[in-house]
Every structure is written in structure tokens, then in C-alpha cells.
């Protein structure tokens, strides 16, 4: 059961393929909101878990209308809209936004439960797709866009190195998911207010290791309560290699870019970081050159990054931009709430 105070619910959408950092992002976000960055013991980081007093994670997994057998009979995957109850999700998110408590469906048989648990990392994220009505209820949305090369490298790292899967089985599982990913998940990125795009580095010629990353934070212009972060001079085109006296960089170094651009016909601002940090505490030097960060005090980005230095991606743009987006969402939340609080008074005046 999710309860919430009337008029206080802000709904944020997050979409990405499986194993692309959604849970990690949620942990960073919850931490910015002052909650525990870890779910309660035995709790599932994605689903059905109240992570703090402030934030609740609703996972599309909870709205499957077809179970494994049902999907098999109909010949659809869990990613398919036909396997998910978007009507119920829409009704429930709408209710939450108007301050009405809801009871989330979470019906799994004990047998299914085991499978569900063991397959969780594969299953949970394949269908983080919002239909149009649900999308309209979102106050802000984020898409984590991991390029195929990098996705592959991460999967190898996790499934081969840590779980002993074979290269063939990893390739096969990525291939098997691709058609539905392309049809139902990937198209969601055009609607996102912020996209974090993760690509192979350009600092090392022909790199395909996927260790050093080029990460782009794509921020839509004109979104209410969200003003894009910029480097040095708003609206300019800037290329910056900060390595030198203030920042330690080993090979291949670090390079930032900032420029206005367009993304699916939207005007956007893009801040890009290629490379990785040697020393996380020196991030303060980079932070001091970024503007519109929505921090509450000098060095808050660096402090958050140091606090979760053990999370994946903390030494590169994935962690940096996830943290920054978290701060922007806190800011958006505070503005939305403040605005809702004053709106009735204004209306009464008029
Ligand atoms: P999801 O919730 O989307 O399935 P997670 O946040 O649980 O993704 O991350 C899954 C795995 O992907 C991590 O254990 C790690 O191996 C890899 N991963 C995620 N984010 C990063 C990152 N920024 N850098 C490197 N590896 C990452």
C-alpha cells in the first residue's frame, strides 16, 4: 500500500534496458533526497520497497497482467504492452498524484517467486515502458541510453566474470531481447526530459573494451522547473581538458564538451565527459566550473560522489551525471511542491 499526503506527490519516470544502471541511479537519487541509499535488508532495490520516507519505487513488474505461462501461450514477452496492465498503472499513479492511497498488485505464486527472484536482474527492467497516459502523469522523466558496445562490455563483466556465463549465452540473451527492446523501450528516449547517453571513449583510438566511457547528459530546454546545467558560459560551445595543475589525469585523460544541440527535434543542452577521474576528491575542481547544478552548498556533487564511491560508475560521467540529475530532480520537486502550496492562495486572491 502506498499512501501519500494530498497534493504532494511528484512522479519521476526512469527507463532503460535491463542491467543498465536503473537501480544504481535510484540509489543515488534516494540518497540526494536524504533517504537510505540501500533498501531494507531482504528488500528488493527495484520493486515494492519503500526506500525512505520521501521516496517510493514503483516498478512495472508489479503490473504484469500475464504470467510466464500466459505470455508463452500468447507468444509475447514481458516487454510487450499486452503483457502489462497499463490501465491499472495509470489509475494508480493518477490516484497517488491526487493524494489517494493505493494498493499495488503484487501477486506471484511461491513457485514463480523463486524464478522471479533468480531472474530478477534480467526480468525487472525489460519493460520499464510507460504508455502515453502514464507518461503524461510524469513530472519528469529520465532515460539511460547505454550503447550496444558498452552494454555488451557491462554484461560480460557481470555475467561472465561474476556469474560464470559463457560469451555465447550472453550474446544470445542480448540478441533475443533486442527486437522488443527496439520496439518498446528504445523509443521512450525521445520523450525523456533528460537522457544519459553512454558511449565508448573517443580518447583511445578503436577502443572496444568499454572501460573508459564517453557520457553525454542531454537536457531538454523549456521544461518547467528544470534549467539545464552548463559549463562556463550558458549557450556557448566549449571544449575543456581540465587535466593539469588542479586535476590528476592518467592516460587517456579527461575531456569535457558543452554545446547546444537538437535531439529528436527538441532543443537541448549537452554536457559531455569523456574519460575518468583518478582522484574523486579532485572532482570539486570540475564541479566549481559547472553552473546551474541545484546544489544546496558548495561541493555537494563531490560530496555525494565520495559518499557512494563504491557504486558502479563513480569514477566517470555515468556517476557524475546521475548525481547531477538527482540534484536537479530534488530542485524540481521543491519548486513543484512550493508552487502547489501557493497556488490555492493565489487562486483565492483572484
Ligand atoms: P538495472 O537496475 O538497470 O538492472 P543496475 O543498477 O542493477 O541495473 O546495474 C546492473 C549492473 O550493470 C551493475 O552491477 C554493473 O555491473 C553494471 N553497471 C551499472 N551501471 C554501471 C556503470 N555506470 N558503470 C559500470 N557498470 C555499471
Amino acid at each position: 500500500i502506498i499512501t501519500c499526503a494530498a497534493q504532494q506527490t511528484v512522479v519521476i519516470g526512469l527507463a532503460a534496458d535491463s542491467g543498465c544502471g536503473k537501480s544504481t541511479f535510484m540509489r543515488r537519487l534516494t540518497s540526494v533526497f536524504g533517504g537510505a541509499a540501500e533498501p531494507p535488508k531482504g528488500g528488493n532495490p527495484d520493486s515494492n520497497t519503500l526506500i525512505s520516507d520521501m521516496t517510493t519505487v514503483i516498478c512495472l513488474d508489479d503490473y504484469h497482467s500475464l504470467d510466464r505461462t500466459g505470455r508463452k501461450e500468447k507468444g509475447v514477452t514481458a516487454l510487450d504492452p499486452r503483457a502489462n496492465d497499463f490501465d491499472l498503472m495509470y489509475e494508480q499513479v493518477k490516484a497517488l498524484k491526487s493524494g489517494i492511497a493505493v494498493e499495488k498488485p503484487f501477486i506471484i505464486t511461491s513457485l514463480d517467486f523463486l524464478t522471479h527472484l533468480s531472474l530478477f536482474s534480467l526480468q525487472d527492467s525489460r519493460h520499464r515502458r510507460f504508455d502515453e497516459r502514464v507518461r503524461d502523469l510524469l513530472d519528469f522523466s529520465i532515460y539511460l541510453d547505454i550503447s550496444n558496445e558498452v552494454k555488451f562490455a557491462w554484461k560480460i563483466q557481470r555475467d561472465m566474470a561474476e556469474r560464470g556465463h559463457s560469451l555465447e549465452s550472453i550474446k544470445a540473451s542480448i540478441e533475443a531481447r533486442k527486437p522488443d527492446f527496439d520496439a518498446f523501450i528504445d523509443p521512450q528516449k525521445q520523450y525523456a526530459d533528460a537522457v544519459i547517453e553512454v558511449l565508448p571513449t573517443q580518447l583511445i583510438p578503436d577502443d572496444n573494451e568499454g572501460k573508459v566511457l564517453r557520457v553525454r547528459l542531454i537536457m531538454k530546454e523549456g521544461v518547467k522547473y528544470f534549467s539545464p546545467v552548463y559549463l562556463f558560459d550558458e549557450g556557448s560551445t566549449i571544449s575543456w581538458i581540465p587535466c593539469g595543475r588542479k586535476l590528476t589525469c592518467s592516460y587517456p585523460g579527461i575531456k569535457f564538451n558543452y554545446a547546444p544541440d537538437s535531439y529528436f527535434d527538441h532543443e537541448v543542452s549537452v554536457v559531455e565527459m569523456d574519460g575518468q577521474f583518478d582522484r574523486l576528491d579532485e572532482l570539486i575542481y570540475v564541479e566549481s566550473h559547472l553552473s546551474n547544478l541545484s546544489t544546496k552548498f558548495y561541493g555537494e556533487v563531490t560530496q555525494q560522489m565520495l559518499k557512494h564511491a563504491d557504486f558502479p560508475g563513480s569514477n566517470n560521467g555515468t556517476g557524475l551525471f546521475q548525481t547531477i540529475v538527482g540534484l536537479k530532480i530534488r530542485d524540481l520537486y521543491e519548486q513543484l511542491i512550493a508552487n502547489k502550496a501557493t497556488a490555492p492562495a493565489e487562486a483565492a486572491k483572484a
Side-chain angles (χ1 to χ4, degrees), residues 16-25 27-28 46 121 124-125 128 144 154 157-158 162 213 312-314 316 318-319 322:
D17 199 4
S18 153
C20 285
K22 291 183 301 296
S23 315
T24 310
F25 181 88
R27 284 152 82 203
R28 289 191 197 274
D46 269 344
S121 55
D124 71 297
S125 27
R128 203 66 60 101
L144 307 179
W154 286 0
Q157 170 58 32
R158 190 176 65 167
E162 292 164 23
L213 302 173
S314 288
N316 63 38
T318 58
Q322 285 181 6

Side-chain angles (χ1 to χ4, degrees), residues 70-86:
R71 293 200 294 266
K72 214 168 180 179
E73 276 167 11
K74 289 233 160 63
V76 298
T77 67
L79 286 174
D80 199 297
R82 286 168 292 177
N84 296 285
D85 192 346
F86 279 108

